[in-house]
Amino acid sequence: MRALDVDYMLGLLPILLGYVPLTLFMAVVGMAFALVLAALMAVERVVRIPVLDIFVRLFISFFRGTPLLVQLFLFYFGLPQMLSFLTTINGVTATIMGLTLHFSAYMAESIRAAILGVDRAQWEASLAVGMTQAQMMRRIILPQAARVAAPTLVNYFIDMVKSTSLAFTLGVTELMGAAQKEAAGSFLYFEAFLVVATIYWIMVEALSFGQRRLETFLNKAHAR
Amino acid sequence: MISVQNLNKSFGATPVLQDISLDIQPGERVVVIGPSGTGKSTLLRCLNFLDTPDSGKITIGDLSVDAAHASRADILGLRRRTGFVFQNYALFANKTARQNITEALVTVKGMSRADADARADTILRETGLEARADAYPASLSGGQQQRVGIGRAMALDAELLLFDEPTSALDPEWVGEVLDLMRKLAESRQTMLIVTHEMQFAREIADRILFMDDGRIAEEGPPADLLDTPRDPRTRAFLRRVG
């Protein structure tokens, strides 16, 4: 047993904090794309567009049915062998792609459930005033589904922030990769990864705070 | 001019509307009465395709739709020529009272936000809801919600307003204010087709009352004739029951 090298940790902290923007960048961009893709797939699953429905179901099945790490390796190491224009894909882009596709499959299912949970009367009222299906979804149904889906979607976002650490397996020097390099020099693995764990933990706590604010905002139409 | 010809609708093997034909003149106020489960609501819901009729022809103004071969544009056309007031109000839960009125004006009619707000202010005044303009449906009383529901339908300047038992879900204390608003609309000679159990109200405002039984119009006539000297034994039996 040895003592924890607190000075080393305090010295490492600012270095590793410098990688937080990259982590957040991958997560935020991945989340933005994933939300749009998931909403589109969820609406498709509810209205069932022939042929397209088969592809959407296949997509969701594949990306929920295989590990994220395997998907990242497929995109980064595998696909460029098959499609030559992908040989220039960098690790950050591949990670964002993988996160987007993987999490959109999960999120599509939560959004679909939330859409189906919106009172039938809301659909009928939208149609009765002459809205098209697209207008009804965009203006009335999806905003109400968002309120129901929000806690689950924030959970996926939290998971996505942490999953950016897999980018390190594609050779990206992000939070995890940087800690790995530092520890390899100092041999203080416990200290290095404890700092990494603390940084992730604080980020997630900040997001949980944001989640409460978001839920209050989305509930404002329902407060009595 | 509104015309329904030979409208039929079944739910599975159960016929709900059988060969309904009906003309409504502009400015006419028609009330539909009858026992529950006789297709009154379904008739209203078929006119704007919330329920899809099996066959028949629906004409509203310059649009004639063959129900069996209705295109998406036909259905939108019917919906944009009618306003619908729901039994359970069905206000957009994510919109304030004012936004409930402006939503379709902007999204469907393409009105500017400023014009829609001005129209909403007029409607909110007419429905006595100026003070609640920015309230969400969840914080409104049943009577207030239904007045917004009627205001939302009024705002569209529809050729025909359809009312599907607009007071049936209300606590008794709110029924009066909703009927008062509908009375004002009737006095402005808005064309209305109303399903209701409020017999006194029907007598006051209707030009004509239809009695429906078993998916058919069993008898029709001016309120005094139909309510006081009904010819059909089924009408007599129904009126005895509702007192």
Side-chain angles (χ1 to χ4, degrees):
Chain A
M1 172 122 182
R2 65 175 175 85
L4 197 64
D5 191 338
V6 177
D7 284 344
Y8 174 73
M9 287 172 68
L10 289 176
L12 193 55
L13 187 63
I15 299 172
L16 293 185
L17 280 178
Y19 290 94
V20 166
L22 177 60
T23 293
L24 290 179
F25 171 76
M26 290 190 288
V28 168
V29 175
M31 186 69 182
F33 284 130
L35 265 179
V36 173
L37 187 57
L40 290 174
M41 289 195 294
V43 169
E44 189 291 317
R45 291 286 292 124
V46 171
V47 300
R48 298 251 174 99
I49 300 163
V51 188
L52 187 58
D53 194 52
I54 298 171
F55 285 105
V56 170
R57 283 165 63 178
L58 197 66
F59 178 96
I60 292 174
S61 169
F62 176 79
F63 283 99
R64 285 207 305 175
T66 52
L68 177 57
L69 184 62
V70 174
Q71 291 163 15
L72 289 176
F73 277 34
L74 263 176
F75 290 133
Y76 188 67
F77 300 113
L79 269 188
Q81 294 190 337
M82 314 301 288
L83 306 165
S84 52
F85 65 89
L86 282 176
T87 45
T88 55
I89 193 169
N90 67 39
V92 172
T93 311
T95 304
I96 290 173
M97 247 178 74
L99 292 173
T100 298
L101 300 181
H102 183 80
F103 281 93
S104 68
Y106 282 96
M107 285 165 27
E109 289 297 280
S110 346
I111 297 175
R112 182 177 73 96
I115 290 174
L116 293 176
V118 174
D119 188 352
R120 201 70 213 166
Q122 299 290 314
W123 301 59
E124 292 195 340
S126 312
L127 296 176
V129 297
M131 288 190 197
T132 61
Q133 280 222 341
Q135 289 169 336
M136 169 184 77
M137 280 295 170
R138 195 161 44 81
R139 303 287 309 168
I140 306 298
I141 305 301
L142 283 176
Q144 294 187 49
R147 169 173 166 264
V148 179
T152 325
L153 295 181
V154 175
N155 253 340
Y156 284 128
F157 183 53
I158 286 171
D159 199 359
M160 201 187 261
V161 169
K162 293 183 293 179
S163 299
T164 57
S165 59
L166 291 175
F168 133 83
T169 64
L170 307 188
V172 178
T173 308
E174 42 65 75
L175 201 44
M176 187 64 190
Q180 166 74 26
K181 278 183 188 157
E182 292 292 334
S186 65
F187 292 105
L188 294 171
Y189 286 99
F190 185 79
E191 280 83 350
F193 292 131
L194 190 58
V195 172
V196 170
T198 310
I199 291 175
Y200 276 114
W201 192 5
I202 290 169
M203 279 196 288
V204 169
E205 277 306 304
L207 286 173
S208 305
F209 175 75
Q211 173 174 12
R212 287 191 291 277
R213 296 285 298 269
L214 175 70
E215 285 174 26
T216 311
F217 170 76
L218 289 172
N219 278 325
K220 83 174 153 54
H222 298 267
R224 272 166 199 279
Chain B
M1 168 75 176
I2 291 131
S3 160
V4 178
Q5 288 162 43
N6 310 106
L7 198 68
N8 284 284
K9 167 72 179 169
S10 302
F11 288 122
T14 316
V16 190
L17 295 180
Q18 306 191 57
D19 228 24
I20 299 271
S21 292
L22 164 70
D23 285 343
I24 302 173
Q25 302 303 322
E28 198 179 8
R29 293 137 313 183
V30 180
V31 167
V32 186
I33 62 171
S36 6
T38 51
K40 305 185 298 292
S41 291
T42 308
L43 170 60
L44 259 56
R45 294 168 56 86
C46 278
L47 295 186
N48 73 348
F49 274 71
L50 285 183
D51 287 332
T52 308
D54 300 330
S55 63
K57 192 172 156 200
I58 300 169
T59 305
I60 298 178
D62 56 356
L63 177 70
S64 269
V65 175
D66 174 3
H69 305 101
S71 68
R72 203 173 286 204
D74 288 337
I75 294 172
L76 273 184
L78 286 177
R79 287 174 179 162
R80 289 174 183 180
R81 284 169 176 74
T82 52
F84 201 98
V85 176
F86 293 86
Q87 181 175 350
N88 58 7
Y89 336 128
L91 297 187
F92 302 131
N94 58 328
K95 306 276 176 195
T96 63
R98 178 189 276 109
Q99 290 166 343
N100 263 276
I101 295 168
T102 57
E103 178 58 39
L105 295 177
V106 175
T107 310
V108 177
K109 294 200 143 189
M111 208 182 261
S112 75
R113 168 80 32 213
D115 289 350
D117 277 336
R119 179 97 177 97
D121 284 337
T122 309
I123 300 268
L124 287 164
R125 235 184 345 266
E126 286 171 8
T127 53
L129 288 160
E130 302 111 303
R132 307 311 312 276
D134 298 316
Y136 285 96
S139 63
L140 296 175
S141 74
Q144 290 170 336
Q145 288 191 59
Q146 191 58 299
R147 284 188 283 150
V148 176
I150 294 171
R152 175 174 70 181
M154 285 162 61
L156 298 167
D157 288 323
E159 294 182 43
L160 170 68
L161 287 191
L162 302 163
F163 293 79
D164 186 10
E165 300 197 27
T167 58
S168 297
L170 288 172
D171 287 337
E173 57 183 318
W174 308 125
V175 171
E177 63 187 50
V178 170
L179 292 183
D180 285 344
L181 176 58
M182 290 174 64
R183 206 172 278 124
K184 257 170 66 180
L185 262 179
E187 281 161 9
S188 74
R189 302 220 56 99
Q190 163 72 49
T191 316
M192 302 159 91
L193 181 60
I194 305 167
V195 174
T196 187
H197 294 293
E198 297 286 339
M199 293 301 158
Q200 186 51 42
F201 174 74
R203 183 190 291 276
E204 284 170 41
I205 66 111
D207 297 304
R208 184 157 47 117
I209 298 185
L210 311 178
F211 173 74
M212 274 185 73
D213 190 45
D214 203 19
R216 298 173 197 276
I217 297 173
E219 183 172 359
E220 63 178 292
D225 294 358
L226 191 125
L227 296 177
D228 298 334
T229 54
R231 292 181 313 269
D232 195 291
R234 289 171 297 181
T235 318
R236 284 200 289 270
F238 173 74
L239 289 173
R240 252 197 319 277
R241 276 203 306 282
V242 299

